Amino acid sequence: MKLATIRHDGRRTAALEVSGGYLPLPAGDLSELLDRSDWKAVLAEAVNGHCAPDVIPAAEATLLNPVPDPRKVICCGLNYSDHILEMGRELPAYPTLFAKFADTLTDPDAEISSEHSEKIDWEAELAVVVGAELRNATEEEAATAIAGYTVANDVSMRDWQNRTLQWFQGKAFDRSTPLGPVMVTPDEVDPEAGLEVICTLNGEEVQRGNTKTLVFSAAKLLSYISTFTVLRPGDIVLTGTPGGVGMGMTPQRFLKDGDQLTTEIPGIGTLSNKFRLRIPTTV
Amino acid sequence: MKLATIRHDGRRTAALEVSGGYLPLPAGDLSELLDRSDWKAVLAEAVNGHCAPDVIPAAEATLLNPVPDPRKVICCGLNYSDHILEMGRELPAYPTLFAKFADTLTDPDAEISSEHSEKIDWEAELAVVVGAELRNATEEEAATAIAGYTVANDVSMRDWQNRTLQWFQGKAFDRSTPLGPVMVTPDEVDPEAGLEVICTLNGEEVQRGNTKTLVFSAAKLLSYISTFTVLRPGDIVLTGTPGGVGMGMTPQRFLKDGDQLTTEIPGIGTLSNKFRLRIPTTV
């Protein structure tokens, strides 16, 4: 199943992608749907009971950030083994983690603007949406608690990220991380078998990795995190980015006003974001 | 004014400290109160209109985490200039920031337990509670948006904190950061004029600093943060810890099962936390 949060006729609704369009679900968005203890039953009923007149034609729907209200957004850095090894580093024993906020997220086709950074960089990533409460979960428990997968770009303000030892402030700019366009349930995609993660800048491919080379799989990350903090339905974990970010290029390359970034995971979908960057003011 | 979240007769309520006890306010806790756009008017009415029979005697009230439901908890590291200078470092140009979650917080007298860390350390801190929405705020705007101050101990799992470059995972263990016992409004305390921040371990003083030596004042932190992410009423900013943490001692010293930690800011109050530490399991 592909699930989405759409806007149609000025209203927002959670929706199931069906042939030709979207079937509305009884929730304003997927965060609200996943907050229901019976969300799987609601989905099953929608799948079995839908009839064509209920379907919103795809052309009349705008896809929004599918999961706009997570309590926790936790991100993993340095997680693609091929990239780590090509950089001559050892594989890490523990995941490098940092946090974002719900406010950091934005829509899959949002225009992203900033007047406070001169070094805005891209990081194409697979994102995991939690579907059940997890505390001290084993990897197996974590795997069964995954509601689905979506696409993210952990757009990073490198000047702010590198002002201090802690990356957080360069990673938590409001409306800087596009998410979507849909959440795909785990029966349809398997990151451990391999999903391509592709980033293009103005049509030129800048990143391509495969999730089968993740050092810490989605289930492993959820299990590890749940050791120190509870994860709840609707929480989001970003799994890290493959090689090819602008900061790693020679010379370094950052986003410019008018640049068009696309972030794609075949089997899930594509984010398409234009950047509107004004002259930064010093802070 | 001193404001609190108390439990009385099995119920939780926001409350105003008055002579002899606490006057209940029309909210379940201070997070809920600060979420009301009219929270200042509600407080003014309570102050003017209260009569003795409404007051809950102090002996019948248990003080809880005053602000249990922040959307954002943002912490500053390396912020006491006397400690930075005594370590031979230069004063930082930018605040070092990281995030916690509402789940990280706990009650002012909570027993704190962990079975996953062998290196649990203390960090006594002044915490700031936001009282108005802040976006791109000047320092002056930020100063007027402070709802109050409270005491925190940014208890840190140093083994987890130092597993990777990012401190977050050692700083975000559920129910590890005690907060309280009350929130004091800015008319009663002035961190820039100077508040002592004191930490004792089993009665022995281990930390003592003064907020007048903060590199980044409360207002400066709020202003800086609001450049990249909106702050809302009830959000919490921790301002950093003075010298004297266990990791900095020779030999290093960490909390042991049964240890009693107190964290005090005279003029606000004291946190008192016993530690219950079991044999760690490897993760």
Side-chain angles (χ1 to χ4, degrees), chain B residues 169-213:
Chain B
Q169 63 187 268
K171 299 281 197 172
F173 273 62
D174 284 354
R175 294 176 303 285
S176 65
T177 298
L179 195 80
V182 294
M183 181 186 89
V184 182
T185 51
D187 53 308
E188 293 198 9
V189 288
D190 180 3
E192 297 201 50
L195 296 172
E196 292 283 299
V197 177
I198 307 155
C199 188
T200 71
L201 175 56
N202 301 325
E204 172 198 351
E205 184 176 301
V206 287
Q207 290 188 284
R208 179 180 290 262
N210 193 296
T211 55
K212 70 185 173 198
T213 73

Coordinates of all heavy atoms in Angstrom, one line a residue, chain B residues 169-213:
Chain B
Q169 N 22.6 11.0 21.8 CA 22.2 9.7 22.4 C 22.5 9.6 23.9 O 21.8 8.8 24.6 CB 22.7 8.5 21.6 CG 24.2 8.4 21.6 CD 24.5 7.2 20.6 OE1 24.7 6.1 21.0 NE2 24.7 7.6 19.3
G170 N 23.5 10.3 24.4 CA 23.8 10.3 25.8 C 23.1 11.3 26.6 O 23.2 11.3 27.8
K171 N 22.3 12.1 25.9 CA 21.6 13.2 26.6 C 20.1 13.0 26.5 O 19.3 13.9 27.0 CB 21.9 14.5 25.8 CG 23.4 14.9 25.8 CD 23.8 15.5 27.2 CE 25.1 16.3 27.1 NZ 25.3 17.0 28.3
A172 N 19.6 12.0 25.9 CA 18.2 11.9 25.6 C 17.5 10.6 26.2 O 16.5 10.1 25.7 CB 17.9 11.9 24.1
F173 N 18.1 10.0 27.3 CA 17.5 8.9 27.9 C 16.2 9.3 28.6 O 16.2 10.3 29.3 CB 18.5 8.3 29.0 CG 19.5 7.3 28.5 CD1 20.4 7.7 27.5 CD2 19.5 6.0 28.9 CE1 21.3 6.8 27.0 CE2 20.4 5.1 28.4 CZ 21.3 5.5 27.5
D174 N 15.2 8.5 28.4 CA 13.9 8.9 28.9 C 14.0 9.0 30.5 O 14.7 8.3 31.1 CB 12.9 7.7 28.6 CG 12.3 7.8 27.2 OD1 12.7 8.8 26.5 OD2 11.6 6.9 26.8
R175 N 13.3 10.0 31.0 CA 13.2 10.3 32.4 C 14.5 10.4 33.1 O 14.7 9.9 34.2 CB 12.3 9.2 33.1 CG 10.9 9.2 32.7 CD 10.1 8.1 33.4 NE 10.7 6.8 33.1 CZ 10.6 6.2 31.9 NH1 9.9 6.7 30.9 NH2 11.1 5.0 31.7
S176 N 15.5 11.1 32.4 CA 16.8 11.3 33.0 C 17.1 12.7 33.4 O 18.1 12.9 34.2 CB 17.9 10.8 32.0 OG 17.9 11.6 30.9
T177 N 16.3 13.7 33.0 CA 16.6 15.1 33.2 C 15.6 15.6 34.2 O 14.4 16.0 33.8 CB 16.6 15.9 31.9 OG1 17.6 15.5 31.1 CG2 16.8 17.4 32.2
P178 N 15.9 15.7 35.5 CA 14.9 16.3 36.4 C 14.7 17.8 36.2 O 15.7 18.5 35.8 CB 15.5 16.0 37.8 CG 17.0 15.9 37.6 CD 17.1 15.3 36.2
L179 N 13.5 18.3 36.3 CA 13.2 19.7 36.1 C 12.2 20.2 37.2 O 11.4 19.5 37.6 CB 12.5 19.8 34.7 CG 12.3 21.2 34.1 CD1 13.7 21.6 33.5 CD2 11.2 21.3 33.1
G180 N 12.5 21.4 37.7 CA 11.6 22.0 38.7 C 12.4 22.7 39.8 O 13.4 23.2 39.5
P181 N 11.9 22.7 41.0 CA 10.6 22.3 41.4 C 9.5 23.2 41.0 O 8.3 22.8 41.0 CB 10.7 22.2 43.0 CG 11.8 23.2 43.3 CD 12.7 23.2 42.1
V182 N 9.8 24.5 40.7 CA 8.8 25.5 40.3 C 9.4 26.3 39.2 O 10.6 26.3 38.9 CB 8.5 26.5 41.5 CG1 7.8 25.7 42.6 CG2 9.8 27.2 42.0
M183 N 8.5 27.1 38.5 CA 9.0 28.0 37.5 C 8.8 29.4 38.1 O 7.7 29.7 38.6 CB 8.1 27.9 36.2 CG 8.6 28.9 35.1 SD 7.5 28.8 33.7 CE 6.2 30.0 34.2
V184 N 9.9 30.2 38.2 CA 9.8 31.5 38.8 C 9.8 32.6 37.6 O 10.6 32.5 36.7 CB 11.0 31.7 39.7 CG1 11.0 33.1 40.3 CG2 11.1 30.7 40.7
T185 N 8.9 33.5 37.8 CA 8.7 34.5 36.7 C 9.9 35.5 36.8 O 10.5 35.7 37.8 CB 7.4 35.3 36.8 OG1 7.2 35.7 38.2 CG2 6.2 34.3 36.5
P186 N 10.2 36.1 35.6 CA 11.4 37.0 35.5 C 11.4 38.2 36.4 O 12.5 38.8 36.5 CB 11.4 37.4 34.0 CG 10.5 36.4 33.3 CD 9.5 36.0 34.3
D187 N 10.2 38.6 36.9 CA 10.3 39.8 37.8 C 10.9 39.4 39.1 O 11.3 40.3 39.9 CB 8.8 40.3 38.0 CG 7.9 39.2 38.5 OD1 7.9 38.1 37.8 OD2 7.2 39.3 39.5
E188 N 11.1 38.1 39.4 CA 11.6 37.7 40.7 C 13.1 37.3 40.7 O 13.7 37.3 41.7 CB 10.8 36.6 41.3 CG 9.4 37.0 41.7 CD 8.7 36.0 42.7 OE1 9.4 35.1 43.2 OE2 7.5 36.2 42.9
V189 N 13.6 36.9 39.5 CA 15.0 36.4 39.5 C 15.6 37.0 38.2 O 14.9 37.1 37.2 CB 15.1 34.9 39.5 CG1 14.8 34.3 40.9 CG2 14.3 34.2 38.4
D190 N 16.9 37.3 38.2 CA 17.6 37.8 37.0 C 18.9 37.1 36.8 O 19.9 37.4 37.5 CB 17.8 39.3 37.2 CG 18.5 40.0 36.0 OD1 18.8 39.2 35.1 OD2 18.8 41.2 36.1
P191 N 18.9 36.2 35.9 CA 20.2 35.4 35.7 C 21.3 36.3 35.3 O 22.5 35.9 35.6 CB 19.8 34.4 34.6 CG 18.3 34.4 34.6 CD 17.8 35.7 35.1
E192 N 21.1 37.4 34.6 CA 22.2 38.2 34.2 C 22.8 39.0 35.3 O 24.0 39.2 35.4 CB 21.7 39.2 33.1 CG 21.3 38.4 31.8 CD 21.3 39.3 30.5 OE1 22.3 39.9 30.3 OE2 20.3 39.2 29.8
A193 N 22.0 39.3 36.3 CA 22.6 39.9 37.6 C 23.3 38.8 38.4 O 24.3 39.1 39.1 CB 21.4 40.5 38.4
G194 N 22.8 37.5 38.2 CA 23.6 36.4 38.8 C 22.7 35.5 39.7 O 22.1 36.0 40.7
L195 N 22.7 34.3 39.3 CA 22.1 33.2 40.2 C 23.1 32.1 40.4 O 23.8 31.7 39.4 CB 20.9 32.6 39.4 CG 19.7 33.5 39.1 CD1 18.7 32.8 38.3 CD2 19.0 34.0 40.4
E196 N 23.3 31.7 41.6 CA 24.2 30.6 41.9 C 23.6 29.3 41.4 O 22.3 29.1 41.5 CB 24.4 30.5 43.4 CG 25.2 31.6 44.0 CD 26.7 31.5 43.7 OE1 27.3 30.5 44.1 OE2 27.3 32.4 43.0
V197 N 24.4 28.4 40.8 CA 23.9 27.1 40.3 C 24.8 26.1 41.0 O 26.0 26.0 40.8 CB 24.1 27.0 38.8 CG1 23.7 25.6 38.3 CG2 23.2 28.0 38.1
I198 N 24.2 25.3 41.9 CA 25.0 24.4 42.8 C 24.5 23.0 42.7 O 23.4 22.7 42.7 CB 24.7 24.9 44.3 CG1 25.0 26.4 44.4 CG2 25.6 24.1 45.2 CD1 24.2 27.0 45.6
C199 N 25.5 22.1 42.6 CA 25.2 20.7 42.6 C 26.0 20.0 43.7 O 27.2 20.2 43.9 CB 25.6 20.1 41.2 SG 25.1 18.4 40.9
T200 N 25.2 19.1 44.5 CA 25.9 18.4 45.5 C 25.6 16.9 45.3 O 24.6 16.5 44.8 CB 25.4 18.8 46.9 OG1 24.1 18.3 47.1 CG2 25.5 20.2 47.2
L201 N 26.6 16.1 45.6 CA 26.5 14.6 45.5 C 26.7 14.0 46.9 O 27.8 14.2 47.5 CB 27.6 14.1 44.5 CG 27.7 12.6 44.4 CD1 26.4 12.0 43.9 CD2 28.8 12.3 43.4
N202 N 25.7 13.4 47.4 CA 25.7 12.8 48.7 C 26.2 13.9 49.8 O 26.9 13.6 50.7 CB 26.6 11.6 48.8 CG 26.1 10.5 47.9 OD1 24.9 10.3 47.6 ND2 27.1 9.8 47.3
G203 N 25.7 15.1 49.6 CA 26.0 16.2 50.5 C 27.3 17.0 50.2 O 27.5 18.0 50.8
E204 N 28.1 16.5 49.3 CA 29.4 17.1 49.0 C 29.2 18.0 47.7 O 28.7 17.5 46.7 CB 30.4 16.0 48.7 CG 31.7 16.6 48.1 CD 32.6 15.5 47.4 OE1 32.2 14.3 47.5 OE2 33.6 15.8 46.8
E205 N 29.6 19.3 47.9 CA 29.4 20.2 46.7 C 30.4 19.8 45.6 O 31.6 19.7 45.8 CB 29.7 21.6 47.1 CG 29.4 22.6 46.0 CD 29.6 24.0 46.5 OE1 28.9 24.4 47.4 OE2 30.5 24.7 45.9
V206 N 29.8 19.6 44.4 CA 30.7 19.2 43.2 C 30.6 20.3 42.2 O 31.6 20.4 41.4 CB 30.2 17.8 42.6 CG1 30.7 16.7 43.5 CG2 28.7 17.8 42.3
Q207 N 29.6 21.1 42.1 CA 29.5 22.2 41.1 C 29.0 23.4 41.8 O 28.1 23.4 42.6 CB 28.6 21.8 40.0 CG 29.0 20.8 39.0 CD 28.0 20.7 37.8 OE1 26.9 20.2 37.9 NE2 28.4 21.2 36.7
R208 N 29.6 24.6 41.4 CA 29.0 25.9 41.8 C 29.4 26.9 40.7 O 30.6 27.0 40.4 CB 29.5 26.3 43.2 CG 29.0 27.7 43.6 CD 29.5 28.1 44.9 NE 28.9 27.4 46.0 CZ 27.9 27.7 46.8 NH1 27.3 28.9 46.5 NH2 27.4 27.0 47.7
G209 N 28.5 27.5 40.1 CA 28.7 28.5 39.1 C 27.8 29.6 39.3 O 26.9 29.5 40.1
N210 N 27.9 30.6 38.5 CA 27.0 31.8 38.6 C 26.6 32.2 37.2 O 27.4 32.3 36.3 CB 27.6 33.0 39.3 CG 26.6 34.0 39.7 OD1 26.0 34.6 38.8 ND2 26.3 34.2 40.9
T211 N 25.3 32.3 37.0 CA 24.7 32.6 35.7 C 25.2 33.9 35.1 O 25.0 34.1 33.9 CB 23.2 32.6 35.7 OG1 22.7 33.5 36.7 CG2 22.6 31.2 36.0
K212 N 25.8 34.8 35.9 CA 26.3 36.0 35.3 C 27.5 35.8 34.5 O 27.9 36.7 33.7 CB 26.6 37.1 36.4 CG 27.8 36.8 37.3 CD 27.9 37.8 38.4 CE 29.0 37.3 39.4 NZ 28.9 38.0 40.7
T213 N 28.1 34.6 34.6 CA 29.2 34.3 33.7 C 28.8 33.5 32.5 O 29.7 33.0 31.7 CB 30.3 33.5 34.5 OG1 29.9 32.2 34.7 CG2 30.7 34.1 35.8

